[in-house]
């Protein structure tokens, strides 16, 4: 039975959740294309579900695969053989990198002693996509730690009591996960004591006239 040969290549590196293009060709040993036959593509092991594609008239095949595993991914292309050609397979790898993230923070300032400062921000990835339901940690003055979670739009908001007069330092951290790198942002807000401020109200000027 004649022997076939199969080639496989994958675009690398790519960012997680993005597509890598897996391509290849199937020919006989003379380089003549084996057209219109199925090729099975396995990513990260033959125990995964095969992606079935078909060679074109030139023996080429291509698929777009959405990545989900960070690190080195293994690809195996398999031609199971037919009544003319024996089975053959070949393998390659591609690298998947984590996405960077951007977290923002703003704090209402100044606020009066005893009132709240509203601290808000947004968490996105480097492509500008929001990260919903992501845990974040907010630290005020290096010792008061508050755990929060972004909402469905990637936003977070907390009300923080203004109890320390002067400049208060705020640090917001996303610690990262399996697909996204950590990020951090900083800001400040000022708490003022109303007693330190004296309001002076002046009476309206009086017009003085002289009698003649």
């Amino acid at each position: 039975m004649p022997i076939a040969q199969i080639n496989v290549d994958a675009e690398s590196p790519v960012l997680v959740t993005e597509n890598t293009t897996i391509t290849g060709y199937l020919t006989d040993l003379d380089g003549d294309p084996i057209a219109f036959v199925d090729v099975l593509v396995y990513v990260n092991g033959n125990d995964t579900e095969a992606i079935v594609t078909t060679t074109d008239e030139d023996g080429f095949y291509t698929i777009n695969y959405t990545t989900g595993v960070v690190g080195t991914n293994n690809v195996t292309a398999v031609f199971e053989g037919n009544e003319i050609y024996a089975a053959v397979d070949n393998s390659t790898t591609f690298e998947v990198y984590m996405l960077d993230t951007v977290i923002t923070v703003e704090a209402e300032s100044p606020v009066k002693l005893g009132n709240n400062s509203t601290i808000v921000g947004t968490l996105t990835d480097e492509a500008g996509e929001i990260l919903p339901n992501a845990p974040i940690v907010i630290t005020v003055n290096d010792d008061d730690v508050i755990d929060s979670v972004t909402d469905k739009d990637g936003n977070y908001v907390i009300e923080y009591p203004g109890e320390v007069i002067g400049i208060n330092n705020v640090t917001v951290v996303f610690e990262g996960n399996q697909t996204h790198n950590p990020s951090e942002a900083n800001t400040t807000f000022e708490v003022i004591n109303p007693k330190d401020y004296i309001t002076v109200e002046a009476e309206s000027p009086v017009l003085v006239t002289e009698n003649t």
Side-chain angles (χ1 to χ4, degrees):
M1 178 174 287
I3 299 175
Q5 57 185 0
I6 193 168
N7 167 271
V8 60
D9 191 21
E11 180 185 1
S12 181
V14 293
L15 295 173
V16 67
T17 73
E18 293 187 350
N19 287 345
T20 181
T21 302
I22 300 172
T23 60
Y25 55 83
L26 181 66
T27 66
D28 61 21
L29 290 183
D30 294 325
D32 294 324
I34 301 175
F36 310 119
V37 297
D38 287 344
V39 172
L40 308 183
V41 178
Y42 296 90
V43 179
N44 294 325
N46 288 355
D47 56 343
T48 61
E49 183 177 353
I51 304 167
V52 181
T53 186
T54 303
T55 59
D56 63 16
E57 61 183 3
D58 297 315
F60 286 92
Y61 65 90
T62 181
I63 63 170
N64 289 315
Y65 178 79
T66 303
T67 61
V69 178
V70 173
T72 302
N73 288 247
N74 301 299
V75 181
T76 301
V78 178
F79 169 59
E80 294 185 315
N82 55 23
E83 65 276 6
I84 301 176
Y85 296 99
V88 65
D89 64 72
N90 201 351
S91 297
T92 190
T93 62
F94 62 90
E95 293 293 326
V96 176
Y97 294 157
M98 298 177 72
L99 286 163
D100 288 334
T101 58
V102 177
I103 194 166
T104 64
V105 59
E106 296 180 3
E108 180 185 359
S109 181
V111 294
K112 294 180 180 180
L113 181 66
N115 290 351
N116 290 340
S117 173
T118 303
I119 301 173
V120 300
T122 303
L123 178 63
T124 59
D125 65 22
E126 60 184 87
E129 297 294 326
I130 61 172
L131 272 67
N133 307 314
I136 60 170
V137 178
I138 302 167
T139 305
V140 180
N141 295 328
D142 296 325
D143 58 7
D144 196 1
V145 179
I146 305 103
D147 293 323
S148 186
V149 177
T150 59
D151 63 18
K152 63 181 179 63
D153 297 315
N155 300 315
Y156 67 89
V157 57
I158 69 165
E159 298 290 336
Y160 188 82
E163 297 175 346
V164 178
I165 295 175
I167 300 298
N168 289 251
N169 299 300
V170 180
T171 300
V172 182
V173 175
F174 168 63
E175 296 180 340
N177 55 27
Q178 292 181 335
T179 56
H180 291 81
N181 286 318
S183 57
E184 178 180 316
N186 300 277
T187 192
T188 62
F189 67 90
E190 184 180 8
V191 177
I192 60 175
N193 188 347
K195 295 181 180 179
D196 294 336
Y197 295 83
I198 301 174
T199 301
V200 177
E201 295 183 359
E203 294 183 358
S204 300
V206 178
L207 178 63
V208 179
T209 60
E210 295 181 356
N211 293 326
T212 60

